């Protein structure tokens, strides 16, 4: 495939946008080469500025669970835009989507809408600290909760020490209140609680990780986190920005029957527009201003276009009783096919999958946390990525990102993808 137009557009962008992109992973730093500039998308396909058609396994990093330009969502946005794009005042739409979301998700009474998953997680942490009157939080290595200062933390010198910033601009004062545990490792969590008695406000986790590739929770891990938090009177926060309304109507809380205290949403809940949200039971949410002392605000929070898109998306999901089974079946079919051809071609790999999230790791050993994810052969992944791209299949340009399956994919698309994997892997 040819990408002259994308290359020129990237060169133009670099002159006025840092790195030529508005989110770092788009720059292809992890795989090399020039990013693809999209002109349009429909269903399961992207159409780039050079006229190439690509089967899409990113789907805007998750929101397009029903496919690009899903007609009910497009219609909702179009009709709403005719009435005005922003008011800075309440609209009935906000209540309607809140009522629907609360009815779909277990264990939440109230929800507040924001503009991104980052903002949702940042606000959830502030709320947890205000509710518990404690300062410290626990996060897991490899889990990403947005670019808020509290989350850009790397490991300290030992399991019971506080972390250190992994981005300039994050202060040591902020970092000292973030403790780092290992995903799927309950003992690392117990050590932190023991070393910081009555100081930890909350533990935040991607209950199914998607930012080190797809990594499922090991049996008993989420149950153990729930019990540890309960025993220590700390709040358990599920970051369901990726998994919410994707793995089940009620997300991971429904899928694994685990109750979190606060849950964060993004991606699917906005129907492709910038929307995030955080939700909890009433006694926690009532600590938010204007009812309580924990301040959180946003000029564009509850934007009518975003609420219209999100409401239409959730209505479509809620009315389709077979959606999540279809998604799981398609993803399982893809897993089986890729497994078969990579095995036949003598490639060392591991595939992780939960529902409609899947990732291929080029290492024969189980991938259960950030450390084992880092063991994958990144050079092989680069060849894999560019090989598939040349065949017309677009996956995440990073070995540390999950693929997202859309219901718009046909089994013909899946067969095409499996054949492309076969062809590419023969060249390794």
């Amino acid at each position: 495939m040819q990408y002259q137009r994308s290359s020129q557009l990237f060169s133009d962008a670099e002159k006025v946008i840092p790195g030529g992109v508005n989110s770092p992973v788009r720059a292809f730093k992890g795989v090399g080469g020039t990013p693809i500039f999209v002109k349009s998308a429909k269903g399961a396909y992207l159409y780039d500025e050079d006229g190439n058609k690509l089967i899409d396994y990113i789907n805007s990093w998750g929101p397009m669970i029903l496919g690009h330009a899903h007609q009910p969502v497009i219609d909702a946005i179009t009709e709403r835009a005719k009435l005005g794009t922003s008011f800075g005042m309440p609209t009935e739409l906000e209540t309607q989507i809140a009522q629907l979301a609360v009815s779909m998700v277990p264990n939440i009474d109230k929800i507040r809408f924001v503009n991104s998953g980052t903002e949702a997680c940042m606000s959830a942490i502030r709320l947890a600290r205000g509710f518990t009157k404690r300062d410290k939080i626990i996060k897991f290595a490899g889990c990403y909760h947005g670019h808020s200062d509290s989350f850009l933390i790397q490991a300290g010198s030992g399991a019971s020490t506080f972390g250190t910033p992994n981005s300039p601009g994050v202060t040591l004062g902020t970092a000292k209140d973030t403790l780092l545990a290992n995903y799927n490792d309950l003992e690392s969590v117990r050590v932190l609680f023991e070393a910081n008695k009555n100081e930890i406000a909350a533990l935040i986790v991607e209950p199914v990780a998607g930012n080190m590739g797809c990594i499922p929770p090991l049996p008993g891990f989420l149950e153990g986190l729930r019990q540890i938090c309960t025993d220590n009177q700390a709040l358990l926060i599920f970051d369901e920005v990726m998994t919410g309304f994707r793995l089940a109507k009620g997300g991971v809380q429904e899928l694994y029957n685990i109750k979190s205290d606060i849950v964060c949403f993004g991606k699917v809940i906005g129907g492709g527009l910038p929307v995030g949200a955080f939700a909890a039971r009433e006694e926690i949410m009532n600590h938010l201003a204007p009812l309580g002392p924990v301040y959180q605000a946003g000029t564009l929070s509850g934007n009518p276009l975003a609420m219209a898109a999100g409401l239409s998306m959730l209505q479509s999901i809620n009315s389709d009783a077979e959606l999540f089974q279809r998604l799981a079946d398609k993803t399982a079919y893809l897993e089986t096919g890729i497994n078969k051809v990579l095995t036949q071609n003598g490639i060392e790999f591991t595939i992780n999958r939960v529902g409609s999230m899947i990732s291929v790791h080029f290492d024969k050993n189980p991938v259960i946390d950030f450390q084992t994810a880092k063991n994958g052969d990144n050079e092989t992944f680069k060849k894999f990525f560019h090989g598939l791209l040349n065949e017309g299949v677009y996956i995440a340009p990073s070995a540390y990102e999950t693929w997202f399956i859309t219901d718009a994919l046909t089994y013909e698309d899946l067969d095409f993808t499996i054949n492309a994997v076969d062809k590419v892997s023969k060249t390794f």
Side-chain angles (χ1 to χ4, degrees), residues 68 121 145-146 150 195 253 285 295 307 388:
H68 291 283
C121 293
H145 309 291
S150 295
Q253 289 191 103
M285 294 301 284
Y295 193 72
M307 295 294 93
L388 288 182

Side-chain angles (χ1 to χ4, degrees), residues 56 97 147 218 233 239 270 317 344 351 370 376:
D56 184 16
I97 188 173
H147 60 90
L218 292 175
Q233 297 180 303
D239 175 354
I317 291 171
Q344 288 175 343
I351 298 178
F370 188 46

Side-chain angles (χ1 to χ4, degrees), residues 238-288:
F238 275 3
D239 175 354
E240 293 219 50
V241 169
M242 286 187 177
T243 59
F245 307 104
R246 169 165 280 280
L247 297 186
K249 286 183 182 180
V252 170
Q253 289 191 103
E254 175 189 329
L255 188 66
Y256 289 97
N257 192 28
I258 305 290
K259 291 183 177 180
S260 66
D261 295 301
I262 304 177
V263 58
C264 302
F265 299 108
K267 303 190 186 297
V268 172
I269 202 173
L273 270 65
V275 180
F278 59 106
R281 60 184 184 271
E282 189 169 19
E283 65 171 312
I284 296 174
M285 294 301 284
N286 285 353
H287 273 65
L288 282 174

Side-chain angles (χ1 to χ4, degrees), residues 84-108:
T85 59
S86 182
F87 311 120
M89 299 169 64
T91 65
E92 185 181 8
L93 274 172
E94 295 167 80
T95 302
Q96 291 173 336
I97 188 173
Q99 289 171 333
L100 181 54
V102 167
S103 74
M104 293 172 70
V105 179
N107 201 42
I108 64 171

Side-chain angles (χ1 to χ4, degrees), residues 183-186 207 215-223 256 366-369:
Y183 193 75
N184 275 324
D185 181 356
L186 288 175
I215 299 184
L218 292 175
F221 178 62
L222 297 180
E223 292 86 348
Y256 289 97
V367 178
I368 61 169
D369 57 16

Side-chain angles (χ1 to χ4, degrees), residues 361-382:
H361 304 264
F362 288 102
D363 185 73
K364 64 181 179 181
N365 299 305
V367 178
I368 61 169
D369 57 16
F370 188 46
Q371 187 57 51
T372 51
K374 289 194 296 184
N375 292 338
D377 185 343
N378 199 49
E379 291 305 310
T380 296
F381 179 82
K382 291 178 184 178

Side-chain angles (χ1 to χ4, degrees), residues 8-331:
Q8 182 58 56
L9 289 172
F10 184 54
S11 179
D12 294 343
E14 287 181 299
K15 297 171 184 175
V16 289
I17 300 172
V21 295
N22 283 307
S23 190
V25 74
R26 300 175 192 172
F28 279 29
K29 288 288 187 181
V31 293
T34 300
I36 307 302
F37 277 62
V38 177
K39 187 172 185 178
S40 66
K42 180 65 178 176
Y45 312 118
L46 301 170
Y47 301 89
D48 70 16
E49 289 283 356
D50 288 279
N52 300 308
K53 176 183 175 182
L54 303 168
I55 299 176
D56 184 16
Y57 286 97
I58 294 181
N59 288 289
S60 191
W61 303 97
M64 303 309 181
I65 191 170
L66 302 179
H68 291 283
H70 183 60
Q71 199 59 50
V73 173
I74 298 301
D75 291 344
I77 295 170
T78 302
E79 291 306 309
R80 191 68 215 187
K82 294 176 183 177
L83 304 177
T85 59
S86 182
F87 311 120
M89 299 169 64
T91 65
E92 185 181 8
L93 274 172
E94 295 167 80
T95 302
Q96 291 173 336
I97 188 173
Q99 289 171 333
L100 181 54
V102 167
S103 74
M104 293 172 70
V105 179
N107 201 42
I108 64 171
D109 299 317
K110 293 184 176 181
I111 186 169
R112 177 161 286 182
F113 288 90
V114 293
N115 299 292
S116 68
T118 290
E119 193 179 344
C121 293
M122 175 187 74
S123 302
I125 288 295
R126 183 182 302 159
L127 176 57
R129 285 170 165 155
F131 181 77
T132 62
K133 297 179 172 59
R134 298 174 179 179
D135 293 337
K136 294 183 179 180
I137 64 168
I138 294 176
K139 73 174 291 287
F140 291 89
C143 285
Y144 179 71
H145 309 291
H147 60 90
S148 177
D149 286 4
S150 295
F151 303 130
L152 295 181
I153 306 300
Q154 61 189 6
S157 59
S160 63
T161 67
F162 56 80
T164 57
N166 65 354
S167 172
V170 179
T171 68
L172 288 171
T174 298
K176 72 178 177 61
D177 287 328
T178 299
L179 308 169
L180 206 66
N182 297 319
Y183 193 75
N184 275 324
D185 181 356
L186 288 175
E187 185 56 32
S188 72
V189 177
R190 294 190 184 98
V191 167
L192 292 176
F193 271 103
E194 186 64 29
N196 299 272
K197 284 187 176 298
N198 302 316
E199 295 183 81
I200 297 171
L203 179 152
I204 186 168
V205 63
E206 289 181 87
V208 174
N211 283 287
M212 41 187 162
C214 176
I215 299 184
L218 292 175
F221 178 62
L222 297 180
E223 292 86 348
L225 294 182
R226 175 66 278 172
Q227 190 60 54
I228 292 170
C229 287
T230 299
D231 292 344
N232 289 276
Q233 297 180 303
L235 300 185
L236 176 61
I237 303 174
F238 275 3
D239 175 354
E240 293 219 50
V241 169
M242 286 187 177
T243 59
F245 307 104
R246 169 165 280 280
L247 297 186
K249 286 183 182 180
V252 170
Q253 289 191 103
E254 175 189 329
L255 188 66
Y256 289 97
N257 192 28
I258 305 290
K259 291 183 177 180
S260 66
D261 295 301
I262 304 177
V263 58
C264 302
F265 299 108
K267 303 190 186 297
V268 172
I269 202 173
L273 270 65
V275 180
F278 59 106
R281 60 184 184 271
E282 189 169 19
E283 65 171 312
I284 296 174
M285 294 301 284
N286 285 353
H287 273 65
L288 282 174
L291 289 179
V294 178
Y295 193 72
Q296 183 278 326
T299 299
L300 291 176
S301 295
N303 172 268
L305 297 187
M307 295 294 93
L311 178 60
S312 177
M313 177 64 79
L314 294 193
Q315 287 172 334
S316 293
I317 291 171
N318 196 45
S319 64
D320 189 343
E322 305 300 324
L323 172 64
F324 294 102
Q325 188 59 56
R326 288 199 308 274
L327 285 165
D329 289 346
K330 289 178 181 181
T331 314

